[in-house]
Amino acid sequence: MEISDDILSRIKQLQKKYSAMGQDLSSYLDGLLHADFLTYWDYIHLDTLLSLQTPRTSFPDEEIFIMYHQITELYFKLSLHELKQIAAQENPDLAFTTKRIQRVNRYFMNLTHSFEVMVDGMEREQFLQFRMSLLPASGFQSAQYRMIEIFATDFINLVDKDHRANFEEGKHSIEEMFKFIYWQAGATELATGKKTLTLDQFEEKYSKQLIDLAESNVKGNLLMIFLKLEASGAELGELKAALRGLDLLVNVNWPLSHYKSAVRYLQKDPEDIKATGGTNWQKYLPPRFQKRIFYPTLWTEQEKNDWGKAWVDDVLGGK
Ligand code: HEM
Protein backbone atom coordinates (compact mmCIF):
# COMPACT_ATOMS: atom_id res chain seq x y z
CA MET A 1 0.00 0.00 0.00
CA GLU A 2 1.30 3.40 -1.04
CA ILE A 3 1.72 6.03 1.61
CA SER A 4 0.18 9.24 0.30
CA ASP A 5 1.99 12.57 0.43
CA ASP A 6 -0.67 13.78 2.78
CA ILE A 7 0.07 11.01 5.31
CA LEU A 8 3.82 11.42 4.86
CA SER A 9 3.58 15.11 5.58
CA ARG A 10 1.64 14.37 8.79
CA ILE A 11 4.22 11.79 9.88
CA LYS A 12 6.95 14.37 9.37
CA GLN A 13 5.04 16.91 11.42
CA LEU A 14 4.58 14.33 14.18
CA GLN A 15 8.29 13.47 14.11
CA LYS A 16 9.08 17.16 14.50
CA LYS A 17 6.65 17.48 17.40
CA TYR A 18 8.00 14.45 19.29
CA SER A 19 11.69 15.08 18.63
CA ALA A 20 11.28 18.63 19.95
CA MET A 21 10.28 17.01 23.25
CA GLY A 22 13.12 14.47 23.06
CA GLN A 23 10.59 11.71 22.32
CA ASP A 24 10.78 8.82 19.88
CA LEU A 25 7.91 8.88 17.38
CA SER A 26 8.12 5.14 16.62
CA SER A 27 7.34 4.29 20.28
CA TYR A 28 4.23 6.48 20.10
CA LEU A 29 3.23 4.83 16.80
CA ASP A 30 3.55 1.44 18.53
CA GLY A 31 1.21 2.77 21.22
CA LEU A 32 -1.28 3.77 18.54
CA LEU A 33 -0.99 0.34 16.92
CA HIS A 34 -1.86 -1.47 20.13
CA ALA A 35 -4.48 0.91 21.45
CA ASP A 36 -8.12 -0.20 21.41
CA PHE A 37 -10.65 1.85 19.50
CA LEU A 38 -12.43 4.25 21.79
CA THR A 39 -16.01 3.26 22.56
CA TYR A 40 -18.95 5.42 23.52
CA TRP A 41 -19.44 3.60 26.82
CA ASP A 42 -15.81 4.07 27.88
CA TYR A 43 -15.65 7.66 26.77
CA ILE A 44 -18.58 8.80 28.92
CA HIS A 45 -17.92 6.26 31.70
CA LEU A 46 -21.39 4.87 31.19
CA ASP A 47 -21.01 1.85 33.47
CA THR A 48 -19.82 4.06 36.33
CA LEU A 49 -22.61 6.56 35.71
CA LEU A 50 -25.27 3.87 35.74
CA SER A 51 -23.86 2.31 38.88
CA LEU A 52 -24.35 5.44 40.97
CA GLN A 53 -27.98 4.90 41.92
CA THR A 54 -28.19 3.13 45.24
CA PRO A 55 -31.59 3.49 46.88
CA ARG A 56 -31.87 3.20 50.66
CA THR A 57 -35.29 1.54 50.48
CA SER A 58 -37.15 -0.80 48.13
CA PHE A 59 -39.72 1.83 47.05
CA PRO A 60 -39.30 1.98 43.23
CA ASP A 61 -39.86 5.75 43.09
CA GLU A 62 -36.78 6.39 45.20
CA GLU A 63 -34.66 5.75 42.10
CA ILE A 64 -36.45 8.58 40.30
CA PHE A 65 -35.68 10.85 43.23
CA ILE A 66 -31.99 9.93 43.20
CA MET A 67 -31.57 10.21 39.44
CA TYR A 68 -33.33 13.54 39.16
CA HIS A 69 -31.07 14.97 41.88
CA GLN A 70 -28.07 13.64 39.97
CA ILE A 71 -29.32 15.14 36.71
CA THR A 72 -29.76 18.47 38.51
CA GLU A 73 -26.25 18.34 39.96
CA LEU A 74 -24.85 17.73 36.46
CA TYR A 75 -26.70 20.82 35.19
CA PHE A 76 -25.30 22.73 38.18
CA LYS A 77 -21.85 21.51 37.15
CA LEU A 78 -22.46 22.73 33.59
CA SER A 79 -23.48 26.12 34.99
CA LEU A 80 -20.35 26.33 37.13
CA HIS A 81 -18.27 25.36 34.10
CA GLU A 82 -19.53 28.52 32.36
CA LEU A 83 -19.31 30.77 35.42
CA LYS A 84 -15.71 29.72 36.10
CA GLN A 85 -14.72 30.65 32.54
CA ILE A 86 -16.35 34.06 32.96
CA ALA A 87 -14.55 34.64 36.27
CA ALA A 88 -11.18 33.57 34.84
CA GLN A 89 -11.06 36.36 32.23
CA GLU A 90 -8.39 38.93 32.93
CA ASN A 91 -10.05 41.50 30.68
CA PRO A 92 -13.72 40.61 30.47
CA ASP A 93 -15.01 40.23 26.93
CA LEU A 94 -18.61 41.32 26.44
CA ALA A 95 -19.64 38.80 23.77
CA PHE A 96 -17.92 35.88 25.52
CA THR A 97 -19.48 36.77 28.87
CA THR A 98 -22.98 37.25 27.43
CA LYS A 99 -22.86 33.92 25.54
CA ARG A 100 -21.79 32.02 28.66
CA ILE A 101 -24.57 33.55 30.76
CA GLN A 102 -27.06 32.62 28.05
CA ARG A 103 -25.78 29.04 28.33
CA VAL A 104 -26.37 29.03 32.10
CA ASN A 105 -29.86 30.40 31.45
CA ARG A 106 -30.57 27.53 29.06
CA TYR A 107 -29.47 25.02 31.69
CA PHE A 108 -31.73 26.58 34.31
CA MET A 109 -34.63 26.77 31.85
CA ASN A 110 -34.29 23.03 31.32
CA LEU A 111 -34.13 22.45 35.06
CA THR A 112 -37.17 24.61 35.69
CA HIS A 113 -39.27 22.83 33.07
CA SER A 114 -38.09 19.34 33.92
CA PHE A 115 -39.02 19.72 37.59
CA GLU A 116 -42.33 18.16 36.56
CA VAL A 117 -40.40 14.89 36.84
CA MET A 118 -40.51 15.49 40.59
CA VAL A 119 -43.84 17.28 40.92
CA ASP A 120 -45.88 14.73 38.95
CA GLY A 121 -43.52 11.79 38.64
CA MET A 122 -43.55 10.06 42.02
CA GLU A 123 -46.22 8.55 44.24
CA ARG A 124 -46.66 10.76 47.26
CA GLU A 125 -47.19 7.78 49.56
CA GLN A 126 -43.89 6.26 48.46
CA PHE A 127 -42.05 9.58 48.78
CA LEU A 128 -43.27 10.22 52.31
CA GLN A 129 -41.99 6.81 53.35
CA PHE A 130 -38.62 6.61 51.61
CA ARG A 131 -37.84 10.22 52.57
CA MET A 132 -37.76 9.17 56.21
CA SER A 133 -34.84 6.84 55.45
CA LEU A 134 -32.84 9.72 54.02
CA LEU A 135 -32.95 12.09 57.00
CA PRO A 136 -31.22 14.41 57.73
CA ALA A 137 -29.97 14.64 54.11
CA SER A 138 -31.63 17.39 52.04
CA GLY A 139 -31.10 19.14 48.69
CA PHE A 140 -30.45 22.06 51.00
CA GLN A 141 -26.96 20.56 51.29
CA SER A 142 -26.20 21.06 47.59
CA ALA A 143 -22.88 22.92 47.64
CA GLN A 144 -22.90 23.44 43.88
CA TYR A 145 -26.14 25.42 44.20
CA ARG A 146 -24.45 27.74 46.71
CA MET A 147 -21.34 28.01 44.51
CA ILE A 148 -23.47 29.17 41.57
CA GLU A 149 -24.79 31.97 43.77
CA ILE A 150 -21.29 32.93 44.87
CA PHE A 151 -20.12 33.15 41.27
CA ALA A 152 -23.23 35.07 40.23
CA THR A 153 -23.13 38.04 42.55
CA ASP A 154 -21.39 40.09 45.18
CA PHE A 155 -21.46 38.33 48.55
CA ILE A 156 -23.49 41.10 50.22
CA ASN A 157 -26.47 40.10 48.07
CA LEU A 158 -26.44 36.66 49.70
CA VAL A 159 -26.69 38.07 53.21
CA ASP A 160 -30.12 37.62 54.77
CA LYS A 161 -32.25 40.58 53.64
CA ASP A 162 -33.07 41.55 57.23
CA HIS A 163 -29.36 41.90 58.09
CA ARG A 164 -28.03 43.34 54.83
CA ALA A 165 -28.37 46.98 55.86
CA ASN A 166 -25.94 46.36 58.77
CA PHE A 167 -23.08 45.76 56.32
CA GLU A 168 -21.55 48.80 54.73
CA GLU A 169 -20.11 48.28 51.27
CA GLY A 170 -16.49 47.14 51.30
CA LYS A 171 -16.17 47.36 55.09
CA HIS A 172 -16.77 43.76 56.11
CA SER A 173 -14.99 40.51 55.48
CA ILE A 174 -16.65 37.59 53.73
CA GLU A 175 -16.32 35.64 56.97
CA GLU A 176 -18.31 38.27 58.89
CA MET A 177 -21.04 38.29 56.25
CA PHE A 178 -21.08 34.49 56.03
CA LYS A 179 -22.48 34.35 59.59
CA PHE A 180 -25.61 36.02 58.22
CA ILE A 181 -25.91 34.14 54.95
CA TYR A 182 -29.54 33.87 53.84
CA TRP A 183 -29.77 30.09 53.80
CA GLN A 184 -29.39 29.73 57.58
CA ALA A 185 -33.02 30.82 57.85
CA GLY A 186 -34.03 27.66 55.96
CA ALA A 187 -32.47 25.29 58.44
CA THR A 188 -34.16 26.12 61.67
CA GLU A 189 -35.91 23.40 63.63
CA LEU A 190 -39.58 24.24 63.98
CA ALA A 191 -39.77 22.72 67.44
CA THR A 192 -36.73 24.37 69.07
CA GLY A 193 -35.71 27.26 66.79
CA LYS A 194 -32.21 25.76 66.72
CA LYS A 195 -29.93 25.08 63.75
CA THR A 196 -30.75 21.75 62.14
CA LEU A 197 -28.34 18.85 61.90
CA THR A 198 -28.71 19.23 58.12
CA LEU A 199 -27.11 22.68 58.37
CA ASP A 200 -24.49 21.66 60.95
CA GLN A 201 -23.23 18.89 58.72
CA PHE A 202 -23.28 21.09 55.64
CA GLU A 203 -21.27 23.80 57.41
CA GLU A 204 -18.75 21.33 58.72
CA LYS A 205 -18.04 20.03 55.25
CA TYR A 206 -18.38 23.15 53.11
CA SER A 207 -18.15 26.47 55.02
CA LYS A 208 -14.43 26.91 54.53
CA GLN A 209 -14.58 25.99 50.86
CA LEU A 210 -17.46 28.40 50.25
CA ILE A 211 -15.78 31.26 52.12
CA ASP A 212 -12.55 30.65 50.16
CA LEU A 213 -14.49 30.67 46.91
CA ALA A 214 -16.26 33.92 47.82
CA GLU A 215 -12.95 35.53 48.80
CA SER A 216 -11.33 34.55 45.53
CA ASN A 217 -14.38 35.86 43.67
CA VAL A 218 -14.61 39.33 45.15
CA LYS A 219 -13.48 40.70 41.80
CA GLY A 220 -14.47 37.84 39.49
CA ASN A 221 -18.13 37.45 40.37
CA LEU A 222 -20.60 38.23 37.61
CA LEU A 223 -21.83 41.44 39.19
CA MET A 224 -18.30 42.84 39.31
CA ILE A 225 -17.66 41.76 35.73
CA PHE A 226 -20.85 43.53 34.69
CA LEU A 227 -19.72 46.72 36.47
CA LYS A 228 -16.33 46.54 34.75
CA LEU A 229 -17.96 46.21 31.34
CA GLU A 230 -20.34 49.03 32.20
CA ALA A 231 -17.40 51.27 33.08
CA SER A 232 -15.86 50.57 29.67
CA GLY A 233 -18.85 52.33 28.06
CA ALA A 234 -19.88 49.30 25.97
CA GLU A 235 -23.47 48.80 24.78
CA LEU A 236 -24.83 46.35 27.36
CA GLY A 237 -28.42 45.71 26.27
CA GLU A 238 -27.96 41.99 25.54
CA LEU A 239 -25.82 41.41 28.62
CA LYS A 240 -28.38 43.12 30.85
CA ALA A 241 -31.16 40.96 29.40
CA ALA A 242 -29.07 37.84 30.03
CA LEU A 243 -28.35 38.88 33.62
CA ARG A 244 -32.01 39.65 34.31
CA GLY A 245 -32.84 36.25 32.86
CA LEU A 246 -30.30 34.58 35.14
CA ASP A 247 -31.63 36.43 38.19
CA LEU A 248 -35.14 35.35 37.40
CA LEU A 249 -34.31 31.75 36.56
CA VAL A 250 -32.06 31.05 39.55
CA ASN A 251 -33.92 33.12 42.13
CA VAL A 252 -37.55 32.86 41.06
CA ASN A 253 -38.42 30.28 38.40
CA TRP A 254 -36.35 27.32 39.59
CA PRO A 255 -37.21 27.99 43.27
CA LEU A 256 -40.91 28.15 42.35
CA SER A 257 -40.78 24.80 40.50
CA HIS A 258 -38.94 23.33 43.45
CA TYR A 259 -41.41 24.83 45.90
CA LYS A 260 -44.25 23.24 43.92
CA SER A 261 -42.67 19.84 44.75
CA ALA A 262 -42.44 20.64 48.42
CA VAL A 263 -46.12 21.68 48.44
CA ARG A 264 -47.19 18.62 46.47
CA TYR A 265 -45.41 16.15 48.71
CA LEU A 266 -45.20 17.78 52.10
CA GLN A 267 -48.15 20.14 52.53
CA LYS A 268 -51.44 19.43 54.26
CA ASP A 269 -50.90 16.82 56.91
CA PRO A 270 -48.87 18.26 59.82
CA GLU A 271 -47.39 14.80 60.26
CA ASP A 272 -45.80 15.22 56.81
CA ILE A 273 -43.67 18.06 58.08
CA LYS A 274 -41.66 15.43 59.91
CA ALA A 275 -40.55 14.22 56.51
CA THR A 276 -38.42 17.34 56.08
CA GLY A 277 -36.78 17.04 59.45
CA GLY A 278 -39.29 19.60 60.71
CA THR A 279 -37.96 22.79 59.11
CA ASN A 280 -39.81 26.02 58.43
CA TRP A 281 -39.72 25.48 54.66
CA GLN A 282 -43.12 27.10 54.01
CA LYS A 283 -41.79 30.39 55.36
CA TYR A 284 -38.36 29.96 53.79
CA LEU A 285 -38.58 28.52 50.28
CA PRO A 286 -40.96 30.93 48.45
CA PRO A 287 -38.85 33.45 46.49
CA ARG A 288 -41.07 36.33 47.61
CA PHE A 289 -39.95 35.71 51.21
CA GLN A 290 -36.25 35.13 50.45
CA LYS A 291 -35.96 38.02 48.00
CA ARG A 292 -32.65 36.81 46.70
CA ILE A 293 -31.70 39.24 43.94
CA PHE A 294 -28.30 39.01 42.24
CA TYR A 295 -28.53 42.28 40.27
CA PRO A 296 -30.66 44.78 42.23
CA THR A 297 -29.76 47.71 39.99
CA LEU A 298 -31.20 45.96 36.95
CA TRP A 299 -34.73 45.94 38.39
CA THR A 300 -37.20 48.71 39.14
CA GLU A 301 -38.44 49.22 42.71
CA GLN A 302 -41.81 47.82 41.63
CA GLU A 303 -40.19 44.70 40.19
CA LYS A 304 -38.18 44.19 43.38
CA ASN A 305 -41.26 44.69 45.56
CA ASP A 306 -43.11 42.12 43.48
CA TRP A 307 -40.18 39.66 43.41
CA GLY A 308 -41.43 36.10 43.17
CA LYS A 309 -45.01 37.01 42.40
CA ALA A 310 -46.45 35.26 39.40
CA TRP A 311 -46.46 38.27 37.11
CA VAL A 312 -42.66 38.50 37.07
CA ASP A 313 -42.54 35.09 35.51
CA ASP A 314 -45.39 35.75 33.10
CA VAL A 315 -44.13 39.09 31.93
CA LEU A 316 -40.48 38.18 31.42
CA GLY A 317 -40.78 34.48 30.73
CA GLY A 318 -37.19 33.73 31.79
CA LYS A 319 -35.70 35.59 28.81
C1 HEM B 1 -39.96 15.82 45.86
C2 HEM B 1 -38.96 16.62 45.61
C3 HEM B 1 -38.43 17.61 46.60
C4 HEM B 1 -38.94 18.05 47.79
C5 HEM B 1 -40.23 17.66 48.46
C6 HEM B 1 -37.98 18.98 48.35
C7 HEM B 1 -38.11 19.64 49.56
C8 HEM B 1 -37.24 20.58 50.06
C9 HEM B 1 -37.39 21.28 51.31
C10 HEM B 1 -38.55 21.08 52.27
C11 HEM B 1 -36.35 22.12 51.44
C12 HEM B 1 -36.07 23.10 52.61
C13 HEM B 1 -34.95 22.59 53.45
C14 HEM B 1 -35.36 21.37 54.21
O1 HEM B 1 -36.37 21.43 54.91
O2 HEM B 1 -34.68 20.34 54.06
C15 HEM B 1 -35.53 21.97 50.27
C16 HEM B 1 -34.39 22.69 50.00
C17 HEM B 1 -33.64 22.55 48.87
N1 HEM B 1 -33.77 21.57 47.91
FE1 HEM B 1 -35.33 20.35 47.70
N2 HEM B 1 -36.93 19.11 47.46
C18 HEM B 1 -37.16 18.29 46.40
C19 HEM B 1 -36.35 18.09 45.32
C20 HEM B 1 -35.15 18.73 45.10
C21 HEM B 1 -34.29 18.52 43.98
C22 HEM B 1 -34.54 17.55 42.82
C23 HEM B 1 -33.21 19.32 44.16
C24 HEM B 1 -32.04 19.36 43.22
C25 HEM B 1 -30.80 19.41 43.63
C26 HEM B 1 -33.40 20.05 45.38
C27 HEM B 1 -32.55 21.02 45.87
C28 HEM B 1 -32.79 21.79 46.98
C29 HEM B 1 -32.02 22.96 47.32
C30 HEM B 1 -30.85 23.54 46.54
C31 HEM B 1 -32.57 23.44 48.50
C32 HEM B 1 -32.14 24.72 49.22
C33 HEM B 1 -33.00 25.86 48.67
C34 HEM B 1 -32.71 27.19 49.30
O3 HEM B 1 -31.89 27.29 50.19
O4 HEM B 1 -33.37 28.18 48.89
N3 HEM B 1 -34.59 19.67 45.93
N4 HEM B 1 -36.09 21.01 49.45
Side-chain angles (χ1 to χ4, degrees), residues 41 44-53:
W41 51 91
I44 64 158
H45 295 279
L46 189 60
D47 290 345
T48 308
L49 186 64
L50 300 183
S51 73
L52 297 175
Q53 294 72 40

Short mmCIF file of all heavy atoms in Angstrom, two decimals, residues 41 44-53:
data_model
loop_
_atom_site.label_atom_id
_atom_site.label_comp_id
_atom_site.label_asym_id
_atom_site.label_seq_id
_atom_site.Cartn_x
_atom_site.Cartn_y
_atom_site.Cartn_z
N TRP A 41 -19.21 3.89 25.40
CA TRP A 41 -19.44 3.60 26.82
C TRP A 41 -18.23 3.91 27.69
O TRP A 41 -18.38 4.33 28.82
CB TRP A 41 -19.93 2.17 27.02
CG TRP A 41 -19.08 1.10 26.35
CD1 TRP A 41 -18.04 0.44 26.89
CD2 TRP A 41 -19.23 0.61 25.01
NE1 TRP A 41 -17.51 -0.45 25.98
CE2 TRP A 41 -18.22 -0.37 24.82
CE3 TRP A 41 -20.11 0.88 23.96
CZ2 TRP A 41 -18.07 -1.06 23.62
CZ3 TRP A 41 -19.97 0.18 22.77
CH2 TRP A 41 -18.94 -0.77 22.61
N ILE A 44 -17.76 8.05 27.96
CA ILE A 44 -18.58 8.80 28.92
C ILE A 44 -18.70 8.06 30.26
O ILE A 44 -19.50 8.44 31.11
CB ILE A 44 -19.98 9.13 28.36
CG1 ILE A 44 -20.78 7.87 28.10
CG2 ILE A 44 -19.90 10.00 27.11
CD1 ILE A 44 -22.28 8.14 28.08
N HIS A 45 -17.90 7.02 30.44
CA HIS A 45 -17.92 6.26 31.70
C HIS A 45 -19.35 5.81 32.05
O HIS A 45 -19.82 5.99 33.17
CB HIS A 45 -17.33 7.08 32.85
CG HIS A 45 -15.87 7.37 32.64
ND1 HIS A 45 -14.89 6.45 32.94
CD2 HIS A 45 -15.24 8.44 32.14
CE1 HIS A 45 -13.71 6.96 32.63
NE2 HIS A 45 -13.90 8.18 32.14
N LEU A 46 -19.98 5.22 31.03
CA LEU A 46 -21.39 4.87 31.19
C LEU A 46 -21.63 3.88 32.34
O LEU A 46 -22.56 4.05 33.14
CB LEU A 46 -21.93 4.31 29.87
CG LEU A 46 -23.44 4.10 29.83
CD1 LEU A 46 -24.18 5.41 30.04
CD2 LEU A 46 -23.86 3.50 28.49
N ASP A 47 -20.78 2.85 32.42
CA ASP A 47 -21.01 1.85 33.47
C ASP A 47 -20.93 2.48 34.85
O ASP A 47 -21.73 2.18 35.73
CB ASP A 47 -20.00 0.69 33.36
CG ASP A 47 -20.28 -0.16 32.13
OD1 ASP A 47 -21.39 -0.02 31.57
OD2 ASP A 47 -19.39 -0.93 31.71
N THR A 48 -19.94 3.38 35.03
CA THR A 48 -19.82 4.06 36.33
C THR A 48 -21.07 4.90 36.59
O THR A 48 -21.67 4.84 37.66
CB THR A 48 -18.58 4.97 36.35
OG1 THR A 48 -17.46 4.20 35.94
CG2 THR A 48 -18.34 5.56 37.72
N LEU A 49 -21.45 5.66 35.56
CA LEU A 49 -22.61 6.56 35.71
C LEU A 49 -23.85 5.77 36.12
O LEU A 49 -24.60 6.17 37.02
CB LEU A 49 -22.84 7.28 34.37
CG LEU A 49 -23.91 8.35 34.32
CD1 LEU A 49 -23.54 9.52 35.21
CD2 LEU A 49 -24.10 8.85 32.88
N LEU A 50 -24.05 4.63 35.47
CA LEU A 50 -25.27 3.87 35.74
C LEU A 50 -25.18 3.04 37.03
O LEU A 50 -26.14 2.39 37.42
CB LEU A 50 -25.61 2.96 34.54
CG LEU A 50 -25.83 3.68 33.21
CD1 LEU A 50 -26.22 2.70 32.11
CD2 LEU A 50 -26.91 4.75 33.34
N SER A 51 -24.00 3.09 37.64
CA SER A 51 -23.86 2.31 38.88
C SER A 51 -24.01 3.22 40.11
O SER A 51 -23.80 2.80 41.23
CB SER A 51 -22.49 1.63 38.93
OG SER A 51 -21.50 2.60 39.17
N LEU A 52 -24.35 4.48 39.87
CA LEU A 52 -24.35 5.44 40.97
C LEU A 52 -25.71 5.63 41.64
O LEU A 52 -25.89 6.55 42.41
CB LEU A 52 -23.83 6.80 40.46
CG LEU A 52 -22.39 6.81 39.95
CD1 LEU A 52 -22.02 8.16 39.36
CD2 LEU A 52 -21.41 6.46 41.07
N GLN A 53 -26.66 4.76 41.31
CA GLN A 53 -27.98 4.90 41.92
C GLN A 53 -28.17 3.79 42.94
O GLN A 53 -28.38 2.64 42.57
CB GLN A 53 -29.09 4.81 40.85
CG GLN A 53 -29.07 5.97 39.85
CD GLN A 53 -27.91 5.95 38.87
OE1 GLN A 53 -27.55 4.88 38.36
NE2 GLN A 53 -27.34 7.10 38.57
#
